[in-house]
Amino acid sequence: MNLKLKLIPLLLLALLAAGCDDDDKLPTANTQEKPADNGTNTNRNPISESTDYARLEFPRLKGDENSIVLVRRVPNYGINYAIEYDCAKRTQRWTCWQWYRGNSGRAWNRNNWDYEKDNPWAMLNMSTHGWGDPFQPDPDLAPEVRTDLEEYYGIPYQRGHICASADRLNSKEANEQTFYLSNIMPQSSALNTGIWADMENKVQEWARDDSFRRVLYAVKGGTIDDNNIRAYTVTGMVVPRYFFMALLCEDNQGQYKALAFWVEHTSQNKKGDALSKYVLNIHQLEEKTGIDFFCNLPDETEQKVENTTKEQILIDWKI
């Protein structure tokens, strides 16, 4: 079977309505292809297939024969998030997205899914588990390369979001897309509800603070390389040994700063730990994961933000 799939480009949806302030609009691929300091860039993503790949949240694509890129779009906000997906391993390498003033609102509440009787996935989960979250197989993946709901039944792992439900509350549709199983990885309860949740909460705090960021770019994932896999489930789903977050912040003066979180996937609950224990710089995270983060920044800016000392990161991010 040839696992190299072709992703059919989706129609480009409208951005925010005319009349909004510039900061309310989704930064376009063109503006992100040429950031404010616009210098030499030797490792940027090629954009022959899609200009989306020039956006600052995108890591360097692995682009091998098993890889496809899934780009989620929603009305009013354009790109919701994007995934590089490994069809052979039936899991993602990373999910990336951005926050800015216009898409950081809370027009939707996750608890609303308990009452969405017209959503078959919410009702299925309500009848099965007593809560209505619309977890569902990814509709854009072929059955042979995707994961299914039944694979999470009876295993000692929860369905752990990568782009969290609470990261995407600007609309019902944006929130539902976070429940696609391509955005889910097996996580122990101790991690999913513990230090990972603490990290998510902190990132959401930064993301919704207009004084802190003009745009916040995020990349999250779990390790799926053969030497960084904790286990496989009975159906062969990859259970990562580590989970990570890479964040790039552009402030209101057009300056950049970055940090990374790296946490081992254990069954020990670390909730309440100081987040500073899990902080790395981006270069260190790249060495651990083999992923080239924020490759679309000009080289000079990329080198600066990726090699910031931990001491300076803790000051810059007030951790």
Side-chain angles (χ1 to χ4, degrees):
M1 179 182 65
N2 182 5
L3 292 176
K4 187 174 182 180
L5 305 181
K6 295 294 185 182
L7 180 65
I8 300 175
L10 301 175
L11 292 176
L12 181 64
L13 299 173
L15 302 180
L16 295 179
C20 295
D21 294 337
D22 287 343
D23 283 348
D24 286 333
K25 297 179 182 177
L26 181 71
T28 66
N30 287 335
T31 59
Q32 296 196 36
E33 187 180 346
K34 295 181 179 179
D37 51 0
N38 189 23
T40 302
N41 190 324
T42 56
N43 63 328
R44 68 171 27 169
N45 276 321
I47 58 173
S48 56
E49 185 175 343
S50 173
T51 57
D52 293 337
Y53 303 164
R55 291 163 61 94
L56 290 189
E57 68 267 31
F58 270 73
R60 178 79 181 186
L61 301 178
K62 186 171 185 179
D64 62 18
E65 63 179 6
N66 295 315
S67 299
I68 60 173
V69 178
L70 303 167
V71 180
R72 308 297 182 200
R73 290 181 166 88
V74 292
N76 299 327
Y77 302 105
I79 292 179
N80 193 27
Y81 65 82
I83 287 175
E84 186 171 33
Y85 191 84
D86 188 310
C87 294
K89 293 186 174 181
R90 297 192 306 132
T91 190
Q92 62 160 280
R93 291 196 177 97
W94 44 257
T95 300
C96 70
W97 65 99
Q98 61 180 242
W99 284 277
Y100 52 95
R101 189 172 70 182
N103 75 352
S104 299
R106 307 187 195 194
W108 183 254
N109 188 311
R110 180 173 178 172
N111 294 332
N112 292 346
W113 292 116
D114 291 352
Y115 310 100
E116 284 294 307
K117 299 187 183 303
D118 292 334
N119 187 298
W121 299 108
M123 289 301 96
L124 175 62
N125 280 297
M126 177 62 77
S127 63
T128 305
H129 301 291
W131 34 262
D133 288 342
F135 288 103
Q136 59 192 276
D138 191 308
D140 293 326
L141 291 174
E144 62 268 23
V145 301
R146 74 187 186 197
T147 53
D148 290 299
L149 289 171
E150 294 81 2
E151 297 187 70
Y152 281 90
Y153 298 163
I155 64 173
Y157 300 101
Q158 295 183 343
R159 292 173 277 195
H161 281 75
I162 301 303
C163 179
S165 170
D167 291 338
R168 283 296 182 250
L169 298 176
N170 54 58
S171 72
K172 175 181 175 181
E173 183 174 0
N175 189 250
E176 181 172 6
Q177 289 180 355
T178 69
F179 291 92
Y180 291 172
L181 292 182
S182 57
N183 181 50
I184 305 299
M185 302 184 89
Q187 284 188 341
S188 67
S189 173
L191 180 69
N192 192 28
T193 63
I195 191 63
W196 185 255
D198 290 346
M199 292 173 179
E200 289 178 327
N201 291 337
K202 187 62 179 176
V203 174
Q204 289 155 15
E205 177 186 321
W206 289 324
R208 295 190 170 100
D209 184 350
D210 288 342
S211 67
F212 183 80
R213 61 94 190 100
R214 190 187 80 82
V215 187
L216 184 64
Y217 306 91
V219 190
K220 299 182 190 176
T223 56
I224 65 170
D225 293 332
D226 291 343
N227 60 336
N228 271 328
I229 292 172
R230 175 182 174 175
Y232 294 90
T233 67
V234 292
T235 62
M237 286 194 301
V238 171
V239 182
R241 187 182 299 276
Y242 300 95
F243 283 87
F244 61 84
M245 302 184 184
L247 303 173
L248 175 70
C249 177
E250 180 191 352
D251 66 22
N252 291 296
Q253 288 72 49
Q255 300 300 307
Y256 294 100
K257 59 187 174 186
L259 91 156
F261 288 123
W262 173 259
V263 60
E264 185 176 2
H265 187 191
T266 73
S267 297
Q268 232 179 332
N269 197 315
K270 304 285 189 177
K271 189 172 183 62
D273 268 10
L275 294 181
S276 58
K277 291 172 57 175
Y278 304 93
V279 168
L280 305 175
N281 67 29
I282 299 298
H283 178 69
Q284 290 168 322
L285 185 63
E286 289 176 336
E287 290 184 324
K288 291 179 177 295
T289 62
I291 298 171
D292 185 358
F293 298 99
F294 310 125
C295 65
N296 292 318
L297 282 171
D299 291 341
E300 184 177 352
T301 304
E302 184 181 0
Q303 287 295 318
K304 179 180 178 182
V305 300
E306 290 187 355
N307 290 284
T308 308
T309 65
K310 180 173 180 176
E311 291 73 17
Q312 189 62 46
I313 290 173
L314 298 182
I315 294 170
D316 289 344
W317 294 77
K318 299 180 173 60
I319 298 176

